[in-house]
């Protein structure tokens, strides 16, 4: 095979690999207390899955991380929403009071706020571009007084 044929073939293969590998979404928590517990992350890939709480991928921070974060790799272009909570008592779930208000720090992508519940998917959604570029988002944890 001549050198002139090799280079276009390499370019095509690299382009195909980048599409197969997909984009990466990095999520960082800006205000977590590292001594307060592990932060859990849930990624949703559609409004329907967000509403039904069908998680596309999940992650958790490492104990003692000064700035908890998670990376979701191999994602197709589209809209995604992320929910997070800090497990302050170590029971691996978000504790709520009798009416469903969270008792532990929590947050949503776009720092979206719901009205009497979780925010709408559209308010929390972040868009991953088709070019496979990575995206980093910051989430601030909130806690009810």
């Amino acid at each position: 095979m001549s050198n002139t044929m090799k280079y276009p073939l390499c370019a095509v293969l690299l382009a195909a690999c980048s599409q197969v590998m997909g984009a990466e979404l990095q999520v960082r928590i800006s205000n977590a207390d590292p001594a307060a517990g592990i932060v859990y992350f849930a990624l949703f890939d559609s409004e329907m899955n967000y509403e039904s709480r069908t998680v596309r991928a999940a992650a958790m921070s490492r104990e003692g991380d000064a700035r908890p974060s998670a990376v979701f790799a191999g994602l197709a272009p589209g809209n995604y929403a992320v929910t997070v909570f800090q497990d302050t008592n170590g029971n691996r779930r978000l504790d709520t009071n009798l009416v469903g208000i969270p008792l532990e720090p929590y947050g949503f992508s776009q720092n979206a706020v719901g009205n009497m519940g979780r925010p709408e998917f559209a308010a929390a959604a972040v868009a991953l571009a088709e070019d496979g570029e990575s995206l980093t988002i910051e989430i601030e944890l909130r806690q009810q007084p």
Side-chain angles (χ1 to χ4, degrees), residues 7-91:
Y7 296 117
L9 180 60
C10 287
V12 168
L13 289 174
L14 285 173
C17 287
S18 70
Q19 288 178 348
V20 169
M21 291 173 47
E24 186 176 276
L25 177 61
Q26 180 173 2
V27 183
R28 295 189 302 213
I29 307 302
S30 59
N31 65 336
D33 175 0
I38 293 173
V39 174
Y40 289 86
F41 301 79
L43 177 74
F44 300 90
D45 59 1
S46 69
E47 182 174 3
M48 183 175 73
N49 288 342
Y50 180 79
E51 294 302 323
S52 68
R53 296 190 163 123
T54 303
V55 174
R56 164 80 184 337
M60 58 189 247
S61 66
R62 293 182 305 238
E63 197 163 344
D65 279 353
R67 191 154 188 211
S69 64
V71 176
F72 298 101
L75 300 175
N79 292 323
Y80 295 88
V82 179
T83 63
V84 298
F85 78 94
Q86 188 165 25
D87 187 13
T88 58
N89 63 5
N91 67 354

Side-chain angles (χ1 to χ4, degrees), residues 70-138:
V71 176
F72 298 101
L75 300 175
N79 292 323
Y80 295 88
V82 179
T83 63
V84 298
F85 78 94
Q86 188 165 25
D87 187 13
T88 58
N89 63 5
N91 67 354
R92 298 182 184 176
R93 63 181 194 158
L94 176 62
D95 294 317
T96 60
N97 67 14
L98 293 174
V99 294
I101 296 173
L103 297 172
E104 296 176 296
Y106 66 96
F108 301 91
S109 44
Q110 303 288 29
N111 290 311
V113 178
N115 185 15
M116 302 299 287
R118 293 171 12 134
E120 299 287 327
F121 178 80
V126 294
L128 280 180
E130 289 190 31
D131 58 10
E133 208 172 281
S134 295
L135 177 64
T136 301
I137 61 172
E138 297 265 344

